[in-house]
């Protein structure tokens, strides 16, 4: 899903990527690690909202940056354009592959049709796609997560933290991936407090993906839920989720972040005291691990799943106020172990 304030840009744009930027979004390439033209190169193509979304895309960037720092890889980035279609994504991925990047990683399920087409044209290049298993191939790695498990824990936390007995869920766009977040969250709330009320709202319907990109939509939806008595709001909405966090903070209520530990995001510093916790997805390590596997000559392919048992998803505890809630923490820890032990099976659809 899916702005830390824009982190320092990765470097100077290469000529090849600069050409593609005019047609399909901004692109940049980094030579900051001191590597030469023969250095291993890796690229990520961002999802809606781009780098600086304080959530999903920034987590992917962190993995690329780690690969630059630790592995000496030369990283490249490509930004999406507003209202783009599959043809724009095909052009973007093609440009990145032609520039010698390996792997090329599409951040988000929206890249599935483009990766299906481009991966077949570049069989010696590994393509990664985050949050999708629909496109497969000998040179495709599907980096996926048990979002419903982390969201279940968020539901437990929300039910324990709520004083009104009413909590909220905001989904960016009503697609199967985000329904996983909803399903786990609602189940966690209800298993913890069967009498609790969960307000659910989606910001947009596909093919309109503004629900991942416009904070004002998240802010308005959160305000509506606050007006109905919600005192904890969980938004799985990318950049739009920052609006929900703002609204909850200004109302003196709790919010729950998503994808990254949003308590620590610089762009949300003004609201961090109200961010109870965040459902984290180890997008950063998934990107780093894929890049490392290619560099080591043993590229990952097929489904690579990150779940609760391997800390691929989880809840952050950066907020000191969260750490003071001993009953809440005990309930979350118990639920986590029960999921790992198979005592709780978390739904993947509402």
């Amino acid at each position: 899903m899916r702005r830390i304030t824009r982190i320092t840009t990765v470097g100077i744009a290469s000529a090849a990527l600069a050409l593609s930027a005019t047609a399909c979004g901004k692109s940049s390439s980094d030579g900051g690690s001191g590597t030469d033209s023969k250095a291993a190169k890796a690229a990520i193509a961002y999802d809606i909202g781009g780098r600086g979304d304080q959530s999903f895309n920034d987590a992917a960037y962190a993995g690329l940056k780690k690969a630059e720092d630790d592995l000496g890889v030369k990283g490249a980035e490509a930004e999406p354009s507003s209202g783009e279609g599959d043809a724009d994504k095909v052009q973007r991925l093609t440009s990145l592959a032609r520039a010698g990047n390996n792997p090329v990683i599409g951040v988000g399920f929206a890249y599935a049709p483009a990766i299906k087409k481009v991966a077949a044209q570049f069989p010696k290049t590994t393509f990664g796609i985050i949050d999708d298993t629909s496109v497969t191939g000998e040179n495709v790695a599907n980096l996926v997560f048990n979002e419903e498990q982390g969201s279940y824990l968020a539901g437990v936390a929300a039910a324990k933290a709520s004083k009104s007995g009413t909590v909220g869920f905001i989904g960016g766009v009503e697609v199967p991936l985000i329904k996983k977040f909803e399903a786990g969250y609602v189940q966690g709330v209800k298993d913890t407090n069967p009498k609790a009320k969960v307000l659910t709202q989606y910001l947009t319907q596909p093919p309109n993906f503004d629900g991942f990109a416009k904070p004002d939509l998240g802010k308005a939806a959160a305000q509506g839920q606050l007006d109905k008595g919600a005192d904890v709001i969980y938004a799985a909405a990318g950049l739009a989720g920052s609006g929900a966090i703002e609204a909850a903070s200004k109302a003196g209520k709790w919010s729950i972040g998503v994808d990254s530990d949003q308590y620590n995001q610089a762009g949300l510093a003004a609201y961090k005291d109200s961010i109870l916790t965040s459902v984290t997805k180890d997008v950063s390590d998934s990107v780093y691990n894929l890049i490392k596997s290619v560099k080591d000559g043993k590229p990952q392919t097929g489904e690579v799943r990150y779940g609760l048992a391997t800390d691929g998803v989880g809840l952050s505890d950066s907020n000191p106020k969260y750490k003071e809630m001993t009953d809440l923490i005990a309930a979350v820890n118990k639920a986590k172990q029960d999921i790992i032990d198979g005592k709780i099976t978390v739904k993947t659809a509402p």
Side-chain angles (χ1 to χ4, degrees):
M1 247 142 345
R2 307 169 157 44
R3 247 173 180 318
I4 6 192
T5 329
R6 287 222 174 236
I7 319 171
T8 310
T9 55
V10 182
I12 303 172
S14 68
L17 294 179
L19 287 173
S20 69
T22 60
C24 54
K26 298 177 290 181
S27 299
S28 68
S29 150
D30 184 10
S33 58
T35 55
D36 59 28
S37 60
K38 295 182 180 180
K41 298 194 289 184
I44 53 178
Y46 291 118
D47 198 4
I48 298 162
R51 179 152 72 87
D53 68 351
Q54 304 164 63
S55 184
F56 186 60
N57 289 300
D58 285 343
Y61 168 74
L64 178 65
K65 185 66 168 63
K66 181 181 178 182
E68 290 177 327
D69 293 343
D70 294 357
L71 306 176
V73 168
K74 186 176 182 181
E77 303 169 82
E79 293 276 4
S81 298
S82 178
E84 70 179 23
D86 288 339
D88 299 295
K89 292 181 174 65
V90 168
Q91 183 177 350
R92 181 177 306 120
L93 298 178
T94 299
S95 296
L96 292 171
R98 282 178 177 166
N101 293 290
N102 188 16
V104 174
I105 304 171
V107 183
F109 61 84
Y111 277 96
I115 284 183
K116 182 177 181 179
K117 183 173 183 178
V118 180
Q121 298 172 353
F122 295 88
K124 294 183 179 180
T125 300
T126 296
F127 289 82
I129 182 165
I130 301 174
D131 286 346
D132 179 85
T133 58
S134 69
V135 55
T136 59
E138 293 183 358
N139 60 330
V140 176
N142 307 91
L143 311 178
V144 291
F145 302 82
N146 291 117
E147 295 92 352
E148 72 282 358
Q149 294 179 348
S151 295
Y152 183 98
L153 300 186
V156 173
K160 297 295 283 187
S162 176
K163 295 180 180 179
S164 69
T166 299
V167 301
F169 173 81
I170 297 172
V173 183
E174 193 167 3
V175 293
L177 174 67
I178 306 304
K179 300 290 274 187
K180 289 176 65 181
F181 287 86
E182 177 194 355
Y185 180 68
V186 173
Q187 185 181 349
V189 170
K190 292 293 188 178
D191 283 356
T192 306
N193 179 10
K195 296 181 180 180
K197 183 177 181 180
V198 184
L199 306 175
T200 298
Q201 182 175 348
Y202 284 87
L203 302 179
T204 61
Q205 299 290 325
N208 180 358
F209 286 87
D210 286 350
F212 289 139
K214 296 188 175 182
D216 285 350
L217 295 178
K219 185 176 181 179
Q223 189 58 58
Q225 293 185 344
L226 292 164
D227 291 344
K228 293 178 181 178
D231 58 357
V232 185
I233 295 177
Y234 173 38
L239 179 58
S242 63
I245 290 173
E246 178 185 353
S249 175
K250 290 184 175 180
K253 306 301 181 182
W254 289 117
S255 61
I256 295 177
V258 75
D259 289 342
S260 297
D261 182 356
Q262 295 196 294
Y263 178 88
N264 288 322
Q265 299 293 359
L268 296 172
Y271 316 119
K272 70 178 186 178
D273 287 346
S274 73
I275 302 175
L276 176 65
T277 181
S278 295
V279 176
T280 57
K281 289 170 56 174
D282 205 354
V283 174
S284 174
D285 269 5
S286 75
V287 168
Y288 175 84
N289 291 340
L290 180 57
I291 295 172
K292 186 176 187 301
S293 75
V294 174
K295 189 173 188 295
D296 290 345
K298 298 178 181 179
Q300 293 177 331
T301 58
E303 182 177 306
V304 183
R305 182 167 292 278
Y306 293 82
L308 201 56
T310 58
D311 292 325
V313 296
L315 281 190
S316 63
D317 63 355
S318 298
N319 192 332
K321 295 177 183 177
Y322 177 88
K323 295 177 181 178
E324 294 173 0
M325 300 179 183
T326 54
D327 289 346
L328 183 155
I329 292 174
V332 166
N333 288 341
K334 182 180 186 304
K336 177 180 179 179
Q337 194 59 51
D338 284 349
I339 292 171
I340 292 172
D341 292 343
K343 295 178 180 178
I344 295 175
T345 300
V346 185
K347 299 177 183 177
T348 57

